[in-house]
């Protein structure tokens, strides 16, 4: 994403577009034809402008093919080097894996409560939540909080976003959109004050993973994006798996995520 990186904002990381030589045989020809047919149906129905499909069987790439374009203007075709936003998969591939490593380091037990792990949370309604509860989406947290609707972001008395950067607005959210330096703390405080409903029942939520990021950065004194790169991406040789892809790759190598007409009011890309 841009300069500010957090799980609450769902900062993505990027899937590597590399692979071993294709093992092409007639055995897999029927599979490729079926995949071609399914992909073309999606493109023809405007479900997506294009994609890349890779199938690995028994450690061999048996199908790898690019289809269509990066957007509906059809100006830039999908290429093997195209980098994609993994969006919510970030929670599993980054935060969860890093927490599993922290568990091995003895930083917490699944039964530990948030109030135990961070004394500042003892007097919130999240104090008794266990790590296991929020990690398995059973904490009673809402799916997400639409802050762009909840708050008056451009309140002249206390604006939270700006069209230009300056000392109080250094968090780059998107092109020509900067967040107030206090915005992450305000977001996190709002999550801490959010009522719990249906605790013990499964309800998918983005919010709990903010606790994961907070704790990981508290324990290891390092931003979560650097922890991911050092502990996961680098050891696995995932050279294009990263947060903040615009700092490492050209814009035309990155597929657009969405055309956000509500908050950013622009195409989100990188």
């Amino acid at each position: 994403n841009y300069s500010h990186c957090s799980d609450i904002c769902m900062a993505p990381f990027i899937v590597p577009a590399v692979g071993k030589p294709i093992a092409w045989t007639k055995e897999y020809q029927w599979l490729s034809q079926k995949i071609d047919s399914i992909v073309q149906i999606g493109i023809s129905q405007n479900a997506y402008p294009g994609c890349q499909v890779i199938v690995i069987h028994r450690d061999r790439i048996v199908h790898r093919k690019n289809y269509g374009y990066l957007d509906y203007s059809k100006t830039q075709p999908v290429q093997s080097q195209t980098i994609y936003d993994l969006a919510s998969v970030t929670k599993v591939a980054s935060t969860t894996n890093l927490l599993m490593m922290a568990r091995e380091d003895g930083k917490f037990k699944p039964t530990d409560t948030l109030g135990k792990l961070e004394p500042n949370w003892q007097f919130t309604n999240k104090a008794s939540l266990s790590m296991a509860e929020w990690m398995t989406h059973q904490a009673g947290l809402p799916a997400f909080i639409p802050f762009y609707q909840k708050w008056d972001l451009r309140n002249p008395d206390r604006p939270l976003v700006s069209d230009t950067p300056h000392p109080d607005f250094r968090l780059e959210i998107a092109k020509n959109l900067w967040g107030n330096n206090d915005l992450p703390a305000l977001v996190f405080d709002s999550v801490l004050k959010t009522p719990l409903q249906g605790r013990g029942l499964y309800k998918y939520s983005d919010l709990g993973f903010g606790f994961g990021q907070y704790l990981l950065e508290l324990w290891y004194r390092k931003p979560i994006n650097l922890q991911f790169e050092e502990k996961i991406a680098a050891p696995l040789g995932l050279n294009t798996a990263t947060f903040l892809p615009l700092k490492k790759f050209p814009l035309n190598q990155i597929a657009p995520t969405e055309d956000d007409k509500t908050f950013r009011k622009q195409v989100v890309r990188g």
Side-chain angles (χ1 to χ4, degrees):
N1 253 17
Y2 287 79
S3 61
H4 179 51
C5 167
S6 78
D7 266 338
I8 291 178
C9 298
M10 294 312 301
F13 68 91
I14 306 300
V15 68
V18 297
K20 297 179 181 179
I22 294 176
W24 176 256
T25 66
K26 290 184 179 180
E27 177 185 357
Y28 300 107
Q29 187 172 359
W30 69 269
L31 175 64
S32 292
Q33 292 173 345
K34 187 67 173 179
I35 292 172
D36 290 348
S37 175
I38 293 172
V39 169
Q40 292 302 330
I41 290 173
I43 292 176
S44 67
Q45 294 181 354
N46 290 328
Y48 42 82
C51 64
Q52 180 180 160
V53 179
I54 300 177
V55 179
I56 300 175
H57 182 237
R58 295 178 178 173
D59 295 326
R60 296 187 301 172
I61 296 176
V62 298
H63 177 90
R64 178 175 183 177
K65 190 172 180 179
N66 304 323
Y67 304 86
Y69 298 84
L70 295 187
D71 59 35
Y72 292 104
S73 68
K74 298 184 178 181
T75 56
Q76 187 177 347
V78 173
Q79 298 179 336
S80 297
Q81 293 76 29
T82 299
I83 290 173
Y84 297 91
D85 176 359
L86 292 191
S88 287
V89 177
T90 303
K91 294 193 289 291
V92 175
S94 177
T95 312
T96 301
N97 278 325
L98 289 171
L99 285 170
M100 292 169 67
M101 294 178 181
R103 169 72 177 91
E104 292 180 345
D105 289 343
K107 296 295 185 181
F108 74 95
K109 299 188 293 293
T111 55
D112 284 345
T113 63
L114 294 179
K116 174 183 177 181
L117 296 171
E118 172 49 271
N120 291 324
W121 298 340
Q122 287 182 355
F123 302 102
T124 73
N125 66 349
K126 311 301 185 300
S128 64
L129 288 179
S130 70
M131 293 289 286
E133 283 182 292
W134 71 258
M135 291 185 70
T136 56
H137 301 278
Q138 298 181 70
L141 290 163
F144 72 106
I145 301 174
F147 292 106
Y148 60 91
Q149 296 175 342
K150 180 179 179 180
W151 295 338
D152 181 2
L153 298 176
R154 296 185 182 274
N155 186 322
D157 294 327
R158 194 186 182 189
L160 294 176
V161 297
S162 170
D163 295 331
T164 57
H166 51 86
D168 292 332
F169 292 82
R170 296 178 178 175
L171 301 177
E172 190 176 9
I173 298 172
K175 185 177 180 180
N176 299 323
L177 185 63
W178 300 78
N180 187 289
N181 299 342
D182 294 331
L183 191 56
L186 293 172
V187 168
F188 200 81
D189 184 64
S190 183
V191 173
L192 285 173
K193 294 177 180 177
T194 299
L196 301 177
Q197 296 181 341
R199 183 173 176 179
L201 302 176
Y202 176 83
K203 182 178 181 180
Y204 184 89
S205 175
D206 290 333
L207 304 184
F209 283 80
F211 302 129
Q213 177 184 352
Y214 180 100
L215 291 170
L216 285 166
E217 294 181 351
L218 176 68
W219 293 330
Y220 295 103
R221 302 296 178 182
K222 186 174 295 186
I224 192 171
N225 56 305
L226 296 183
Q227 293 185 46
F228 168 77
E229 292 181 10
E230 293 175 6
K231 295 182 179 182
I232 299 175
L236 292 176
L238 304 178
N239 298 324
T240 60
T242 184
F243 289 81
L244 311 176
L246 286 173
K247 293 184 178 296
K248 299 181 179 180
F249 302 99
L251 183 65
N252 62 8
Q253 190 178 343
I254 303 170
T257 297
E258 65 171 324
D259 185 1
D260 182 0
K261 299 182 182 299
T262 305
F263 171 43
R264 301 173 184 86
K265 300 186 184 302
Q266 61 184 271
V267 173
V268 178
R269 189 172 187 180

